[in-house]
Amino acid sequence: MCSAETLPKFVLGDLGALGSPDFRAALDALAFAVYTTDAEGFVTYCNPAAADLAGRQPELGQDRWCVSWKLRRPDGSPLPHDECPMAMALKGRQPIRGQELVAVRPDGSTALLLPHPTPIFDASGELTGAVNLLVDISDHKSAEKDSRYLAAIVESSDDAIVTKDLNGIITSWNKGAERLFGYAHDEVVGKSITILMPPGYENEEPNILRRIRSGERIDHYQTTRRRKDGALIEISLTVSPVRDATGRIVGASKIARDITEQKRAGEALAARLREQAALYRLTERLHRAQDDSEVYEAALDAIQGALGCHRASILLFESTATMHFVAWRGLSSQYRGAVDGHSPWTAEEQDPEPIFLQDVAHAEALAALRPIIEAEGIAALGFIPLVADGRLIGKFMTYYDRPHVFTDNEIGVALTIARQLGFSIQRMRAEEARRVAEEQLRQNEATERARAAELMAIMEAVPASIWIARTPDCRVISGNRAAYELLRQAPDGNLSLSAPTGERPDNFRVFATGRMLAPEELPVQRAARGEDVQNFEEEIRFEDGTSRHVFGNATPLRDAAGEVIGAVAASVDITERKLVEEALRESERRLQIALGAGRMGAWEWNIGTGKVIWSPGLEALHDIEPGTFGGTFADFKRDIHPDDLPLVELEIARAMETREEYHVVYRIRLPDGSIRWMETFGQFSPQGAAKPGKLAGVCMDITERKEAESQRSLLVAELSHRVKNTLAIVSSIARQSFSINPDFHEAHRTFDARIRALAQTHTRLAEASWSGVSLETVLFDELAPYHDDARNNVTLAGPPTKLPPKYALTLGMAAHELATNAAKHGALSVKSGSVDIEWSARGTDRLRVRWSESGGPPVLAPKRNGFGRLLLERVLASDLGGEVQLEFAPQGLVCTIDIPYPREPSP
Amino acid sequence: MTAAQPCRVFVVEDEFLVALQIEDDLIAAGYLVVGPFTSLSTSIAASRAETFDVATLDLNLRGEFVYPLVDELLERHVPVLLLTGYAGSDLPERFRCLPRLTKPFDGSELISRIKSMVPAV
């Protein structure tokens, strides 16, 4: 006996799991024979069962390869230890299986063993040894015991059971063999088994015998044998070696079973399987097919595979309603060209049935096509319609080289393929349509995207600010670049004043007509509630005090159902325009002030439309109610003085011709008939344009100026008249002075004095702007040179009396003549003399002046009429229409002047 | 008109000193003076009452223009000489072509003008 304790430690270590004491105990207790060796084949362990089987206790570390005393092959030949299966397994480094051998014990008995030598490798792949399990397959006792039953079984078996020796001579033949092969027991026992071999199968028997000899068993070998009556039968053979008691192979037993029916059924099954596989592949390939050609190829493969024809074709109706080949196998182009377009059905055919011609030679229906078909070598053919959505779309054809009976099964398969193919073609067409639609959609989308990109680019590029709210609550408003720049916000920020605190911009407020707007009053927010906000105008005031004015529109954004889903607003910055407008308004206001102050009005004549606009000021100048001007050129002309109208029209024509400033002075007639002078200036606008659009200008009432001008010319004329009149007077005085007085020097002095007196009165009149001068002043001026120191020699008494210029000049000259006469000859020529002058207004229209002298030398009446007297008597009378009385009284001259006295100074 | 009947000159002049001179000059030249008259109303009345061959008229008679008289005399085809300090342009258009003597004028000037219109005798 061998035990675990006897095993060297290193061996145990090398055995790995076997080294475990539990495992070793298990091995020791095992009923199977087990032993191990090291890598060199030296036995390292042997369990008790193995020692029993070997009939000896092997010497561990000494016995090599094997634990048995001697070995033999199954055929009885000696087997050296170093060629035994264990040795081969170690040398070949792989397990050996199925090699039986005979172990010979020291007592001479044998055991037929089936060894299972298995090499063992460590983790690194090093061979560390081998383990062998020995199965004892010699059980003579049971075989002997069972032989009687076996014989009965063999005799009663339905299977043919035959034994033969190693030379192939039949040694036994049961009843089953008699039934199967038709030979009786006595006919064949002792004869070679080869009598059963049909021609062509002669080589089978030597092969079988060779394999039997080597101990091999042949299971279910299918082959063909010939019965006694010559019929061939399909059999399944199982051949096993037959050994003698020592295990030597001495013959073979054969069990044969008739499998003809079984095989036929199997072939039919295989055909079904093939069909099913072909249909399955078809289904799968059609499902995966990407285009028509893949569909056709899959269908042709299925037709060929499932219908067993190596030629096939598919034809489809085209738009011309004729069928044409779309795919084919094994057809010449001549054939296709000849039959293309032929069809047993029209495109309108309802529920077409497949047509099968099993023998072309006898198919009358083919008519003229038959020679063509026969020339192509086609002997049978099938037309299977392809239907999709209840409509015939084409067919597929099967062609056979020999006349062919179309079985129900084939027809069923053909129709199945046709259904699948029709469906797939339909699917491909739908797919194509879908693909086209998708492509269209993709293109549309691409177009949309391009358009969107374009819109985005436009949006970014436009100088207008654009705001977009994508929800009705406007909590988020985005915008284009211009919008962010306008509101001075970083791009992509939220521009909504409706946003919660912290998210909304706080650097500006929005005002409209001076009032701050709440967020919900803003255009985008209003539009997001469905309102179309047209022409809004807002002022955006920034925290730094500056502001921008914007003008724009806001409109709701709606989804396909018309629901408002947001809003968009666009606006332009009109700040500059606002400023210009403001400046313009200011300048207009100033102009109005200027026009009003200067009695001016403004007008504009649109030459294209003929419309004439007058400012209220101009209407006032024309003395019509504001807003009642008719507004046409004719209305303008109506007021113009008829004498001046040609001039005005001429000036307008000239200005239009030369494109220069229009300037004309003309008269107008007011509703009350009065005449006013107008001066107008105008300019064409736009300036420099080829065709004038408007003539606009101002008009002023220059009547006062005109009157002043005429007054002035009147004054100038008057002045000239007076000066010249005065010169005429002076000339007359000179003549009187010099012609009467022979003493030149005296005459000169007199003349001088007269001129001075005249000048003095002129001076007084000039001081009073020629409005007149008082009588007292005139008299005083003439008498002043003759006053004594106490001014007692002259007295003036009378009411304040204002003399018109003519009266003053004439009375002044008269007073001068009286005074000089008094000084020379009368009261003022002596110290005691005096002159008393009294005047009174008699009634209301006469003036009476009394000059009386006293205390002077005796008065003498003058010898001749001197200038003074002429002046007094004639000039006063004729110039002033007065009466003058000269009384040369002895005490002194008395002169009484009685003249009409006008209440008011004459002009 | 005969030699026994000297030419009669109707004189209207509101400035009597000037009138005196005109009168002197005309008389010295052999004319007979009718007037002088110093106002428009007396002048018109006198012109209708008197006969004369020629008239010398001062334009401005104390603020009144002598035009109505001029028109009347022109209608009667009486030659008229205007005596005035006004320039021709100050006159109404219709009188601008009438003979005119601008004040102050010389006596001989007056006489030669009158002579060109009517001879003294």
Side-chain angles (χ1 to χ4, degrees):
Chain A
M1 281 297 283
C2 177
S3 74
E5 284 80 358
T6 63
L7 283 171
K9 290 268 191 232
F10 70 93
V11 171
L12 282 173
D14 283 351
L15 285 173
L18 283 175
S20 147
D22 285 348
F23 208 86
R24 219 160 45 233
L27 284 178
D28 286 346
L30 204 61
F32 287 104
V34 175
Y35 72 95
T36 63
T37 67
D38 62 15
E40 300 297 314
F42 291 103
V43 176
T44 51
Y45 167 75
C46 173
N47 75 348
D52 273 356
L53 189 64
R56 62 186 283 271
Q57 187 65 44
E59 275 188 64
L60 299 180
Q62 292 297 315
D63 279 8
R64 202 176 182 191
W65 310 121
C66 183
V67 293
S68 298
W69 181 58
K70 276 182 183 161
L71 295 172
R72 266 193 239 142
R73 294 192 177 86
D75 62 1
S77 58
L79 177 68
H81 273 36
D82 60 355
E83 289 177 24
C84 77
M86 184 66 161
M88 300 317 289
L90 278 165
K91 288 172 183 170
R93 300 167 71 90
Q94 59 184 3
I96 304 287
R97 294 286 183 269
Q99 278 199 17
E100 294 176 8
L101 54 79
V102 177
V104 183
R105 300 187 183 97
D107 64 3
S109 65
T110 61
L112 182 63
L113 301 179
L114 189 59
H116 294 77
T118 305
I120 297 168
F121 302 92
D122 66 11
S124 63
E126 266 310 299
L127 180 69
T128 56
V131 59
N132 200 356
L133 173 75
L134 304 171
V135 180
D136 184 358
I137 56 173
S138 57
D139 199 350
H140 306 289
K141 284 184 178 173
S142 65
E144 281 162 18
K145 188 169 64 188
D146 292 341
S147 62
R148 279 174 307 173
Y149 302 104
L150 285 174
I153 291 166
V154 166
E155 270 315 292
S156 61
S157 171
D158 272 352
D159 292 335
I161 298 172
V162 178
T163 58
K164 58 184 178 182
D165 64 15
L166 290 174
N167 295 316
I169 302 301
I170 296 166
T171 51
S172 70
W173 188 260
N174 75 343
K175 289 273 192 324
E178 284 182 355
R179 278 195 298 276
L180 183 60
F181 297 112
Y183 291 102
H185 177 272
D186 296 337
E187 284 179 295
V188 290
V189 171
K191 290 187 178 159
S192 172
I193 193 79
T194 55
I195 63 167
L196 298 175
M197 306 292 179
Y201 289 82
E202 294 85 355
N203 289 335
E204 257 187 18
E205 186 59 19
N207 283 336
I208 292 170
L209 288 178
R210 188 173 42 77
R211 289 168 67 183
I212 291 299
R213 275 192 206 103
S214 65
E216 209 177 318
R217 172 190 161 102
I218 297 158
D219 269 330
H220 304 301
Y221 176 74
Q222 290 189 10
T223 186
T224 305
R225 289 293 179 262
R226 190 171 57 186
R227 283 169 53 91
K228 186 184 174 186
D229 58 11
L232 295 176
I233 50 170
E234 300 293 331
I235 59 165
S236 170
L237 273 182
T238 298
V239 188
S240 305
V242 176
R243 299 165 196 274
D244 63 10
T246 64
R248 200 163 50 89
I249 296 171
V250 294
S253 76
K254 273 180 158 176
I255 301 170
R257 180 174 292 168
D258 183 354
I259 57 164
T260 305
E261 277 307 312
Q262 188 187 336
K263 192 172 178 184
R264 195 170 294 144
E267 278 173 359
L269 184 66
R272 292 294 86 73
L273 287 173
R274 209 165 48 242
E275 287 165 10
Q276 293 303 317
L279 290 175
Y280 174 77
R281 270 199 307 280
L282 173 64
T283 305
E284 195 199 24
R285 286 177 64 186
L286 289 179
H287 185 70
R288 285 201 317 263
Q290 295 298 313
D291 56 34
D292 290 344
S293 66
E294 284 185 40
V295 168
Y296 303 148
E297 288 305 306
L300 290 173
D301 283 347
I303 292 164
Q304 286 182 312
L307 298 178
C309 57
H310 64 268
R311 287 192 280 188
S313 66
I314 300 171
L315 299 92
L316 295 177
F317 279 116
E318 288 182 357
S319 52
T320 53
T322 51
M323 279 193 204
H324 295 288
F325 284 94
V326 296
W328 58 87
R329 295 236 175 112
L331 296 178
S332 69
S333 61
Q334 292 90 334
Y335 176 75
R336 282 186 279 113
V339 302
D340 194 49
H342 285 277
S343 165
W345 312 288
T346 63
E348 286 73 36
E349 185 85 20
Q350 292 294 310
D351 303 323
E353 290 291 326
I355 298 167
F356 298 99
L357 302 177
Q358 63 181 32
D359 189 352
V360 169
H362 298 97
E364 299 300 326
L366 293 173
L369 288 174
R370 185 156 64 193
I372 299 163
I373 296 169
E374 285 177 337
E376 187 73 3
I378 296 168
L381 65 169
F383 302 70
I384 299 93
L386 298 175
V387 176
D389 281 350
R391 207 164 48 78
L392 181 68
I393 60 168
K395 63 180 176 182
F396 78 77
M397 302 288 297
T398 56
Y399 310 93
Y400 296 88
D401 300 348
R402 304 246 173 84
H404 183 83
V405 176
F406 293 88
T407 65
D408 287 347
N409 185 62
E410 276 177 342
I411 293 169
V413 169
L415 290 176
T416 301
I417 292 172
R419 261 196 310 279
Q420 295 251 32
L421 179 56
F423 173 76
S424 287
I425 289 169
Q426 187 72 0
R427 183 175 72 82
M428 291 312 294
R429 286 177 178 176
E431 191 76 6
E432 175 66 13
R434 189 183 60 77
R435 201 186 55 71
V436 169
E438 264 182 7
E439 180 60 28
Q440 187 63 45
L441 187 68
R442 211 166 23 250
Q443 278 180 3
N444 288 350
E445 278 176 355
T447 309
E448 281 297 311
R449 267 197 303 280
R451 195 168 300 148
E454 215 170 81
L455 279 176
M456 186 57 82
I458 290 169
M459 212 175 97
E460 286 304 316
V462 289
S465 299
I466 296 171
W467 291 285
I468 301 167
R470 291 189 171 84
T471 54
D473 64 9
C474 296
R475 282 171 66 95
V476 176
I477 293 177
S478 56
N480 66 347
R481 188 165 45 225
Y484 287 105
E485 283 172 4
L486 174 75
L487 298 178
R488 304 175 188 176
Q489 289 286 317
D492 301 329
N494 189 350
L495 299 177
S496 177
L497 290 177
S498 298
T501 314
E503 288 177 34
R504 66 167 174 253
D506 56 0
N507 62 324
F508 64 86
R509 299 282 181 275
V510 182
F511 289 74
T513 58
R515 189 176 65 82
M516 190 173 103
L517 297 182
E520 64 272 13
E521 293 176 298
L522 295 171
V524 176
Q525 280 81 342
R526 282 165 60 195
R529 294 195 298 272
E531 187 185 343
D532 237 316
V533 187
Q534 296 290 326
N535 305 333
F536 67 77
E537 216 177 299
E538 290 177 345
E539 181 187 0
I540 298 165
R541 293 188 193 164
F542 295 95
E543 55 194 355
D544 65 1
T546 61
S547 70
R548 305 298 295 174
H549 291 266
V550 297
F551 172 85
N553 295 313
T555 189
L557 281 177
R558 296 177 191 275
D559 62 11
E563 285 294 311
V564 176
I565 53 165
V568 61
S571 71
V572 289
D573 190 328
I574 56 163
T575 309
E576 308 311 324
R577 204 178 79 197
K578 271 276 181 190
L579 292 176
V580 170
E581 275 177 6
E582 187 55 42
L584 192 61
R585 262 201 298 280
E586 179 59 25
S587 108
E588 270 177 3
R589 199 176 59 80
R590 282 199 299 269
L591 180 62
Q592 284 304 325
I593 292 171
L595 292 179
R599 291 210 23 96
M600 290 167 90
W603 51 267
E604 183 182 288
W605 175 38
N606 187 320
I607 294 157
T609 65
K611 191 170 167 60
V612 179
I613 300 169
W614 280 9
S615 72
L618 189 50
E619 289 178 320
L621 292 188
H622 280 248
D623 202 17
I624 59 175
E625 288 296 312
T628 60
F629 173 63
T632 68
F633 194 63
D635 290 312
F636 160 65
K637 287 199 292 188
R638 192 170 305 125
D639 285 355
I640 297 176
H641 193 288
D643 291 349
D644 292 351
L645 185 55
L647 175 69
V648 172
E649 289 177 329
L650 185 73
E651 283 302 318
I652 289 174
R654 189 194 57 77
M656 285 180 80
E657 176 72 24
T658 62
R659 223 36 83 60
E660 284 169 2
E661 197 172 78
Y662 162 66
H663 175 214
V664 67
V665 174
Y666 58 95
R667 285 165 293 171
I668 58 167
R669 214 164 27 204
L670 299 186
D672 65 4
S674 60
I675 300 294
R676 304 293 295 178
W677 282 91
M678 308 296 275
E679 181 171 22
T680 191
F681 295 91
Q683 267 186 344
F684 285 105
S685 66
Q687 287 187 325
K691 194 175 172 179
K694 287 174 178 175
L695 180 61
V698 291
C699 189
M700 61 202 111
D701 185 334
I702 56 163
T703 308
E704 275 74 24
R705 201 180 80 200
K706 273 278 176 190
E707 282 174 353
E709 276 174 5
S710 114
Q711 192 75 34
R712 196 183 63 215
S713 55
L714 207 64
L715 280 174
V716 167
E718 189 62 30
L719 184 63
S720 165
H721 161 73
R722 283 186 186 174
V723 166
K724 287 169 179 176
N725 237 2
T726 305
L727 289 174
I729 290 167
V730 168
S731 165
S732 183
I733 290 171
R735 187 192 284 196
Q736 294 297 333
S737 302
F738 290 103
S739 65
I740 291 169
N741 198 332
D743 181 347
F744 177 77
H745 291 290
E746 178 58 26
H748 194 263
R749 269 195 303 277
T750 307
F751 175 69
D752 271 356
R754 282 172 178 156
I755 297 302
R756 271 200 306 277
L758 186 61
Q760 177 131 22
T761 311
H762 271 271
T763 302
R764 290 293 181 195
L765 283 168
E767 281 169 2
S769 302
W770 287 82
S771 62
V773 63
S774 81
L775 177 59
E776 187 175 1
T777 303
V778 171
L779 295 172
F780 180 81
D781 284 346
E782 293 305 329
L783 292 165
Y786 313 111
H787 285 169
D788 59 10
D789 296 339
R791 295 180 60 176
N792 290 327
N793 58 345
V794 176
T795 60
L796 300 173
T801 303
K802 195 172 183 182
L803 298 174
K806 179 79 182 167
Y807 285 68
L809 286 170
T810 305
L811 285 173
M813 281 192 287
H816 176 76
E817 292 305 319
L818 287 169
T820 50
N821 184 67
K824 198 183 280 176
H825 309 292
L828 296 179
S829 63
V830 294
K831 286 203 170 174
S832 58
S834 67
V835 177
D836 297 296
I837 304 162
E838 315 170 339
W839 64 93
S840 64
R842 204 186 71 208
T844 55
D845 58 352
R846 304 242 6 135
L847 179 63
R848 186 187 162 89
V849 184
R850 189 172 182 274
W851 172 290
S852 63
E853 297 181 20
S854 58
V859 173
L860 296 171
K863 290 184 289 289
R864 56 179 174 86
N865 279 344
F867 175 68
R869 189 157 176 189
L870 177 76
L871 188 88
L872 285 168
E873 289 180 349
R874 289 196 61 186
V875 173
L876 272 177
S878 97
D879 278 7
L880 303 182
E883 291 168 19
V884 178
Q885 277 193 327
L886 284 171
E887 190 187 329
F888 297 98
Q891 74 275 12
L893 175 71
V894 173
C895 176
T896 309
I897 300 169
D898 188 354
I899 53 173
Y901 175 66
R903 284 176 159 187
E904 288 172 339
S906 60
Chain B
M1 204 183 297
T2 63
Q5 290 178 305
C7 186
R8 295 167 71 86
V9 181
F10 189 74
V11 176
V12 176
E13 172 59 63
D14 69 338
E15 209 63 63
F16 197 75
L17 282 172
V18 178
L20 274 180
Q21 204 175 329
I22 294 168
E23 194 179 356
D24 285 355
D25 290 340
L26 287 172
I27 288 167
Y31 289 95
L32 195 72
V33 172
V34 180
F37 303 98
T38 59
S39 75
L40 182 60
S41 54
T42 55
S43 303
I44 289 175
S47 77
R48 289 171 186 167
E50 304 280 345
T51 59
F52 47 90
D53 303 300
V54 65
T56 68
L57 308 175
D58 180 16
L59 220 51
N60 190 327
L61 301 174
R62 286 175 221 172
E64 278 184 305
F65 283 97
V66 79
Y67 302 142
L69 178 59
V70 178
D71 284 331
E72 200 171 318
L73 294 179
L74 287 177
E75 214 164 287
R76 286 158 55 185
H77 303 292
V78 176
V80 169
L81 175 65
L82 297 176
L83 305 175
T84 177
Y86 293 105
S89 60
D90 294 329
L91 297 179
E93 183 100 34
R94 64 186 188 277
F95 303 139
R96 286 182 194 170
C97 56
L98 293 178
R100 190 171 70 241
L101 209 53
T102 304
K103 292 181 182 176
F105 49 82
D106 184 57
S108 57
E109 216 177 338
L110 172 69
I111 299 305
S112 71
R113 267 298 176 83
I114 293 292
K115 265 186 183 161
S116 72
M117 296 168 77
V118 283
V121 197

